[in-house]
Amino acid sequence: MGQNGVLDSLIMALIFCGIFAFSMHRDRSRYRNVVLLLFAAGSVVSLVLSFFDGVADKVLLLLFVLLALLVLVLPFFLIANGVVMIRREGRSLANLLSLLLGLVLLAGEVSMFFWGIGLFIGPELKLHTITAAVSALSPVLMLLMLTALYLSVTFLNFAFYCVFLQLIPVKRDFDYVIIHGAGLRKDGTVTKLLAERCDKAVTIYRRDPTPPCLIPSGGQGSDEVCSEAEAMRRYLLSKGIPEEKILIEDRSTTTMENITNSKDLILAQPGRKYTALVTSNYHVYRAMRYARKAGLKAVGIGAHVAFYYWPSAMIREFVAVHRERKHLILYLVGYLIVISPLLIVLLERL
């Protein structure tokens, strides 16, 4: 590629990575960071390739193959995960999400397979019946193929950003730690998911040079014997957290209410307000978005969840973020851009 090529790639990588770093410094909850991460990663890959003068095309082909394999394997992984979710968590719409998305993506890959047969293999083997059928269905097959590709890439990029958030170190010395509720057992004790969140808060408390006040946040559901905040309070006491270091918020029913009600409690207290939000790792990004909307300056810290639970939970987060009007419009615009070649072909036929 030459010295000029390396220099150009270096400049582009510095620009995109600099923009991404600046945006992250300003606000980690902004959706633009998800897109900027993709551009920054692409610029870094381009920079790395610039050092492989003479074999850059082979390295690029290898990266493309690996990415293609990741996209191809994704639906099978999601389907398998969906089966595990049903077996371990029961049948509900939330537990079916990974299975359903896997089937949608698999339909797109099957469409791509048949489209390839009609385009490349059919003419060679003179399979007139197949090529005629594929030709008639080619617009539908292409639509399914492009839809699956768009869904796969955008979902993977969103998931990578949520993971990336967990890798960024945060400064300690918190004043308050909000613990988001997550449902209770029938006997009023915390579930494993909620216990993981409480344990993470306890770890933060013990490592902090000036132990913060913990705010278990969650109201009482119609089928619960006590509020989530009260159940968490009991759990925290059992872990050795002093009573005076626990400030419960037991009126909220949603994540947004968790944050707004907890914010009111924090503002009513004297002193500094440096705050951390503790929730499950898949939920950190959306919790930070709600904190920004509520005007609460806070960092998000994720608690561990079982790996089999993570894909379905991440799909819920992906859907929840893209249900917001602005992001839904942007997502649909991106989708229209992706399928625009197909739309152009159909318009030409007309």
Side-chain angles (χ1 to χ4, degrees):
M1 183 176 289
Q3 187 173 0
N4 290 336
V6 173
L7 182 59
D8 291 342
S9 297
L10 177 60
I11 292 173
M12 292 302 295
L14 289 175
I15 291 174
F16 282 116
C17 291
I19 293 173
F20 174 65
F22 178 74
S23 181
M24 287 289 291
H25 175 71
R26 288 289 302 274
D27 191 344
R28 297 176 185 179
S29 68
R30 290 289 186 179
Y31 186 82
R32 62 173 178 253
N33 297 333
V34 179
V35 180
L36 289 174
L37 175 62
L38 183 62
F39 283 101
S43 67
V44 171
V45 170
S46 178
L47 175 61
V48 172
L49 289 176
S50 68
F51 290 100
F52 291 90
D53 193 18
V55 294
D57 54 341
K58 296 180 181 178
V59 176
L60 183 60
L61 177 62
L62 176 61
L63 292 175
F64 177 79
V65 170
L66 292 175
L67 178 60
L69 287 174
L70 179 61
V71 172
L72 289 173
V73 169
L74 181 60
F76 298 99
F77 168 76
L78 290 174
I79 291 171
N81 176 255
V83 174
V84 173
M85 279 293 293
I86 293 171
R87 288 178 177 175
R88 296 193 179 188
E89 302 291 333
R91 296 181 182 178
S92 68
L93 180 58
N95 296 336
L96 289 173
L97 286 177
S98 57
L99 176 62
L100 293 175
L101 180 58
L103 291 174
V104 169
L105 297 183
L106 182 61
E109 292 187 2
V110 171
S111 299
M112 181 171 61
F113 173 75
F114 281 107
W115 182 75
I117 287 179
L119 188 63
F120 301 106
I121 303 176
E124 293 293 330
L125 299 179
K126 298 181 179 181
L127 301 175
H128 302 296
T129 303
I130 293 178
T131 53
V134 171
S135 178
L137 294 173
S138 60
V140 176
L141 295 177
M142 285 188 66
L143 179 62
L144 289 172
M145 181 178 65
L146 292 173
T147 300
L149 180 63
Y150 185 67
L151 269 174
S152 298
V153 173
T154 53
F155 174 70
L156 286 172
N157 190 50
F158 179 84
F160 285 149
Y161 180 72
C162 290
V163 172
F164 181 78
L165 276 179
Q166 309 298 311
L167 303 178
I168 303 175
V170 295
K171 61 180 181 179
R172 301 296 178 179
D173 197 16
F174 297 110
D175 302 298
Y176 298 93
V177 177
I178 301 171
I179 312 169
H180 291 275
L184 303 176
R185 294 193 178 98
K186 292 182 179 180
D187 61 357
T189 57
V190 298
T191 60
K192 180 174 176 55
L193 187 70
L194 190 51
E196 293 282 2
R197 297 181 183 185
C198 292
D199 288 340
K200 189 69 175 181
V202 170
T203 299
I204 294 171
Y205 176 89
R206 290 174 177 168
R207 291 179 179 177
D208 201 309
T210 55
C213 181
L214 305 185
I215 306 178
S217 177
Q220 181 175 354
S222 58
D223 59 343
E224 294 175 336
V225 299
C226 67
S227 69
E228 294 173 1
E230 175 59 25
M232 285 189 280
R233 186 188 72 85
R234 296 171 185 170
Y235 185 85
L236 293 172
L237 290 173
S238 72
K239 294 293 182 176
I241 304 298
E243 179 81 51
E244 63 272 15
K245 283 294 184 178
I246 302 175
L247 184 63
I248 69 170
E249 184 288 299
D250 58 2
R251 296 181 293 110
S252 58
T253 58
T254 65
T255 300
M256 190 64 183
E257 290 180 359
N258 283 150
I259 293 173
T260 54
N261 293 345
S262 297
K263 175 189 172 185
D264 292 339
L265 289 177
I266 292 171
L267 292 179
Q269 307 300 314
R272 290 197 326 164
K273 316 292 184 184
Y274 186 45
T275 304
L277 306 173
V278 172
T279 184
S280 300
N281 51 26
Y282 62 82
H283 190 240
V284 168
Y285 175 60
R286 187 150 61 102
M288 290 178 64
R289 291 179 61 80
Y290 288 148
R292 174 173 56 82
K293 290 180 181 179
L296 176 65
K297 291 184 178 181
V299 297
I301 299 177
H304 170 78
V305 295
F307 180 73
Y308 77 88
Y309 191 87
W310 194 83
S312 290
M314 186 54 59
I315 294 171
R316 291 201 304 272
E317 298 301 303
F318 181 79
V319 172
V321 169
H322 289 90
R323 282 179 61 188
E324 298 177 24
R325 184 176 180 181
K326 180 176 69 173
H327 298 133
L328 178 60
I329 292 173
L330 292 174
Y331 192 79
L332 292 177
V333 169
Y335 177 64
L336 289 175
I337 293 173
V338 168
I339 66 172
S340 58
L342 175 60
L343 296 178
I344 293 173
V345 171
L346 292 177
L347 289 174
E348 289 178 349
R349 289 186 179 183
L350 296 175

